[in-house]
Amino acid sequence: MIPSVPSRTRQCVKPALVLLSLVCSLTLLSGCSAMQAEALGLRSSKVMKTPQQMSNLEICETYAYGRQSKHTRVAIASEWTKRGINRKYCDKIRKEWYVTKAAKALVNIEEKPASNKVKPVNSVQIQ
């Protein structure tokens, strides 16, 4: 016969198990990238933000990799062009680990896509 556990003990065990589960899942997720999380089905929900409110990663996922969005592809493409995002940059941020992302946020480092715009030439004055 299994000895009965007092109800007070059971009440303390539940929050402890929930906390332990949360800590374990956060530890596992912090050691993966957005691409790995997507493969596990964790980044498969529809993006509901406007393109102006989306992160670069969300713009990449919706425009280049086919994640569903509430907004049109044209609106997302406009934001893609405005921010100067390209496929190479998208591949890079999708492979970046969440731990690295968190560390960059703590140190206030913001990585932007390389600009491929042509710089204006200084005008020459003829005398």
Side-chain angles (χ1 to χ4, degrees), residues 27-95:
T27 304
L28 289 173
L29 284 178
S30 65
C32 71
S33 66
M35 191 166 29
Q36 291 166 332
E38 182 184 338
L40 293 172
L42 299 175
R43 294 192 64 86
S44 60
S45 64
K46 192 175 196 178
V47 180
M48 301 301 284
K49 299 176 190 172
T50 63
Q52 292 80 11
Q53 294 172 331
M54 289 182 190
S55 67
N56 285 351
L57 178 60
E58 289 170 328
I59 293 282
C60 287
E61 288 175 339
T62 54
Y63 186 67
Y65 300 107
R67 185 173 174 187
Q68 290 186 348
S69 175
K70 174 182 166 183
H71 297 281
T72 64
R73 190 164 166 80
V74 173
I76 296 168
S78 172
E79 195 64 26
W80 167 285
T81 306
K82 179 180 161 191
R83 295 184 192 187
I85 298 173
N86 57 36
R87 189 68 96 135
K88 186 176 177 182
Y89 172 75
C90 287
D91 289 339
K92 182 180 177 184
I93 64 171
R94 284 184 77 217
K95 291 177 184 172

